[in-house]
Amino acid sequence: NKSAGTLTLGGSQAFPNITAALTLTSGTLADGGKTIVVSGTGVLSNSATHSGAGVIDYQSTAATIQGTGGTFGNFSLTTSATIGTAGTQTVTGTLRLLGANSILNIGANALSALGPIYSDGATGVAFSASKMIMTNGVHNAGGLTRQGAAGALLFPIGSASQYTPNSISVTATTHGTITVRPVNSEHPNVGAVNQSLKYYWRVTSSGYAGVGATITHNPYSFGSATLLAGTLTTYRSARFNPATFTWAQNGTTYDATATTAIPSFTNVNLGVGAVIDGEYTTGNATAFAAVQPYYSKGNGAWNAATGVWTASATHVGADLAGPPCSTCPVIIGDGAAINHTITLDANGRSCGTVAINSGSTLDASYYTSLNFGTNTGGAVTGRGTLRIASANFPAGDFTNFIG
């Protein structure tokens, strides 16, 4: 614990195993090329910085790595068990999952792995449902961030007991970072429900420049054919653009019967430009029909036929009759000069996603069985006000709304 500066381990002797606690709260611990083993029931907590050519090797049976905002140099998980993280962490060097059943469960937290990720002590990538990085499977989870590089970049991730990896290949003059968040749900903004995979991958990127014309998405695996729905013989990959609420779909279909992976596809197959970001899934063409966004244009009831909703992103335009459909995006106010209060009118109201922007209010009153994001699949965003009088909190992913 140094308020500033670096503590460097010296000498030629091996560093003794830590069986009580290794706590990094501030400053930098430089390992001096040594292996620092946390074993037994030792507790590891990192809210500071670890660096060096050595490694922190977690062999402890303590179920959670404590701390948040920490940085590891090289980190190995040797414990053959599921080990959680209590907060956001970064690994700048090599991350290894060494135990036969080593699962790093980041839950809703973010993990940035800026170097290689290996499934063994060398360069293996034989990940599985018992050796992976696991999230909580919701839209606004922190996800796994990797430093981009030439070639296929593997994300050895999953949710719950499902291993659902994907790989993305990008050519660029400058590689940034890519974040993948697997979501354990049918996409909330499909044009027709029960016609697509009940799983999708939310992909975002940062810092890229000079991106090449073709971005290849290697097989997105989803672990179980039970997640498939609808007519399986006419499946096609698809991408949802959350900025424009639009779908792009592959013109080539495939037979998904008994499959557990989406065949490789490119942005060109989807008819979109050189963009990495998107929400990717697969299904029938009906699932990817145009979805209608509902923008508030005035104060009033959720089910109002006039005066409350419009299809225009300017929040000014012709009336759009309410109530919004169960997969429709809803946008209340613009977070600036346009502020509205929308009042729920009945139990069981739902939508695909909802943005309650700063200055605006969604008043749920005492109504129950409300769903503003199809459970884990869709998100509630914005910095506005949600007013509820019922003891039953609405369903939806509120991570970014209340976080």
Side-chain angles (χ1 to χ4, degrees):
N1 179 17
K2 291 175 66 67
S3 58
T6 300
L7 172 65
T8 302
L9 303 182
S12 59
Q13 298 297 313
F15 197 81
N17 287 8
I18 297 171
T19 58
L22 172 60
T23 303
L24 308 180
T25 56
S26 59
T28 298
L29 172 63
D31 60 35
K34 297 180 182 295
T35 296
I36 303 172
V37 177
V38 181
S39 60
T41 58
V43 176
L44 171 61
S45 179
N46 189 6
S47 298
T49 299
H50 157 246
S51 66
V55 61
I56 291 181
D57 186 359
Y58 192 83
Q59 301 180 13
S60 173
T61 58
T64 304
I65 297 169
Q66 303 293 334
T68 189
T71 297
F72 293 94
N74 298 313
F75 179 81
S76 293
L77 175 59
T78 301
T79 309
S80 188
T82 299
I83 301 298
T85 59
T88 298
Q89 297 290 347
T90 297
V91 180
T92 58
T94 299
L95 171 61
R96 287 184 167 90
L97 306 180
L98 297 178
N101 297 287
S102 290
I103 294 176
L104 185 59
N105 181 10
I106 63 175
N109 301 310
L111 173 66
S112 294
L114 305 182
I117 305 176
Y118 297 139
S119 63
D120 58 25
T123 59
V125 289
F127 298 98
S128 67
S130 60
K131 189 189 285 278
M132 64 175 175
I133 296 166
M134 183 167 66
T135 78
N136 65 354
V138 302
H139 183 93
N140 280 328
L144 172 62
T145 297
R146 297 205 63 185
Q147 174 61 49
L153 188 64
L154 171 67
F155 291 81
I157 52 177
S159 61
S161 61
Q162 300 177 114
Y163 178 50
T164 58
N166 69 306
S167 295
I168 302 174
S169 297
V170 182
T171 58
T173 55
T174 301
H175 284 278
T177 59
I178 299 176
T179 301
V180 174
R181 302 168 178 88
V183 186
N184 193 14
S185 169
E186 183 177 40
H187 196 280
N189 300 125
V190 290
V193 298
N194 297 319
Q195 294 297 320
S196 62
L197 183 70
K198 297 185 182 300
Y199 208 92
Y200 68 96
W201 292 258
R202 181 180 169 216
V203 177
T204 56
S205 64
S206 177
Y208 271 86
V211 175
T214 302
I215 298 164
T216 301
H217 298 263
N218 295 300
Y220 283 48
S221 299
F222 46 88
S224 174
T226 61
L227 296 174
L228 299 164
T231 303
L232 306 186
T233 55
T234 55
Y235 259 44
R236 79 274 314 282
S237 50
R239 170 187 178 267
F240 184 73
N241 183 346
T244 60
F245 306 113
T246 55
W247 283 102
Q249 54 183 296
N250 198 329
T252 301
T253 63
Y254 70 97
D255 187 350
T257 304
T259 62
T260 56
I262 306 173
S264 296
F265 61 93
T266 69
N267 60 308
V268 177
N269 298 143
L270 298 176
V272 298
V275 291
I276 302 169
D277 298 21
E279 295 169 4
Y280 297 92
T281 190
T282 185
N284 291 307
T286 54
F288 310 126
V291 63
Q292 178 62 67
Y294 276 68
Y295 295 89
S296 65
K297 62 178 287 187
N299 302 323
W302 183 268
N303 69 332
T306 60
V308 174
W309 303 112
T310 181
S312 171
T314 65
H315 295 266
V316 177
D319 284 327
L320 183 63
C325 73
S326 63
T327 63
C328 289
V330 170
I331 305 93
I332 303 174
D334 69 350
I338 299 174
N339 304 309
H340 297 133
T341 296
I342 305 299
T343 305
L344 270 294
D345 61 292
N347 294 331
R349 292 301 191 194
S350 63
C351 62
T353 53
V354 61
I356 311 170
N357 287 310
S358 180
S360 291
T361 299
L362 177 58
D363 187 349
S365 187
Y366 55 84
Y367 294 109
T368 61
S369 301
L370 305 175
N371 192 333
F372 300 137
T374 57
N375 299 313
T376 60
V380 180
T381 58
R383 285 293 181 265
T385 299
L386 173 65
R387 186 177 296 135
I388 58 175
S390 168
N392 298 309
F393 199 80
D397 177 5
F398 285 82
T399 305
N400 283 1
F401 182 75
I402 63 178

